[in-house]
Amino acid sequence: MNKQLSEPLELPCGAILTNRIAKAAMTEGLASPRGEPTDQLNRLYQTWSEGGAGLLLTGNILIDGDHLERPGNVIIDSEPRPEMQAALRGLSAAATVKGNHVWAQISHAGRQTQKAVNAHPKAPSAVKLGLPGGQFGQPVEMAEDDINNVVTAFVRCARVLKDTGFTGVQVHAAHGYLISQFLSPRSNQRTDRYGGSLENRAKLLLDIVQQIREEVGPDFPVAVKLNSADFQKGGFDFSDSLKVASWLEEASIDLIEISGGTYEQPKLLGLEGIEEEEPQNLAPSTLMREAYFVDFALAMQEHINIPLMVTGGFRQASVMRQALESGAADLIGVGRPLCLDTDAPSQLLDGLQELERYEAKMQLLPGWANFLTRVALIRTVAGFALQYWYYAQLIAIGNSGKADRSLSVFSSIKILLRHEKSWLKARRRLIENEKHT
């Protein structure tokens, strides 16, 4: 058995994770049109609980039904009805059948809300997402009352989740979603107390964290997912990330998950964006390059004393152990492999040396067209198409308890588009009916 991976981790709040492997957050899209957990979502998380990870992090649970990360998100944007409370309890129970923790990742998509959900989402500033294709609309700058409402909604969401059996929460402040938008000077061009200096740009995050801690108490795990950098010129960089991390430590956070990138620069997926990546002032370590954010975590550990989780690219057990032994990480996040091998954590704990690299086996284009992937935009689109293949696997597991390895990438895209279109249609019908009752 790999001792380092199997060691428990005690968090500052006193909670104990049974091992050092976490199932990273991945968007599921399996909620009902009302935003309630479903039997499919419960089946997915029970399968993952049985897979052996000490911690399961949910995909985005949205605090605002008008600002979804994607169709099919769980939504807690008001005091829950009895049916919603029961559904949330069902999910938390299914996700903890093996005694592991399950933390809910809570989020607001801001300008990264698809136009099909909201053509004019609220954001720190009226700066449109710089992606081609017209999938995202022109955002509207938030008034201060809007910001106050967001803080209230995050706090309410955390309380509801604690009350319905979740064992912790993670505030999503990375990947270009709303809080990340406030942190970045590219997307936050405000001139009031929420814009300008880093202190001002971090105010929303720190207000949310402080008030959540006051609401849930000192013994309930509160984590933050933070970008090491946006990797965009003029964006949130690693020096910013170090400072914000130190403020989060002062605010009694139990764990920071280090990630990076945005939709425009999808470093989180190991992909190149449509613009040149902005280099960071960071000394490379000797750790193997498969783990995307290890170097950032290693540098951050020199400045803070709270546990760090590192996610992105881990496939070899030796690299995971090295990340733990070097002090770069206290917790290893694994994502994509669990879309196929749901018991991958148990396999690693039992001595498996390397997880399957499914993405390396997928053929997106015929051989004659492979040269197209040399173009950054086409390469990025191909990478997101592959991501849809993983999303489709989550639907398969939710439906049957098993992945479907026979799915092609293009079949997966069809499944996802049909699934999301049907969900949006049902949600619009639901909202319309409620307006007339």
Side-chain angles (χ1 to χ4, degrees), residues 28 30-37 41 59-81 84-85 87-88 91 105-107 117 153 156-157 160-161 423-424 427 430-431:
E28 313 98 357
L30 291 174
S32 74
R34 199 180 288 277
E36 297 170 346
L41 194 60
N60 283 289
I61 292 180
L62 274 296
I63 65 158
D64 186 335
D66 291 330
H67 292 84
L68 304 180
E69 170 263 335
R70 64 174 283 216
N73 289 143
V74 173
I75 305 166
I76 303 176
D77 59 359
S78 61
E79 290 296 334
R81 305 177 311 134
M84 178 57 152
Q85 291 179 328
L88 289 169
L91 176 56
Q105 184 185 81
I106 51 181
S107 183
V117 174
R156 177 181 58 222
C157 185
V160 168
L161 290 160
W423 190 91
L424 282 170
R427 181 163 176 79
L430 176 69
I431 292 172

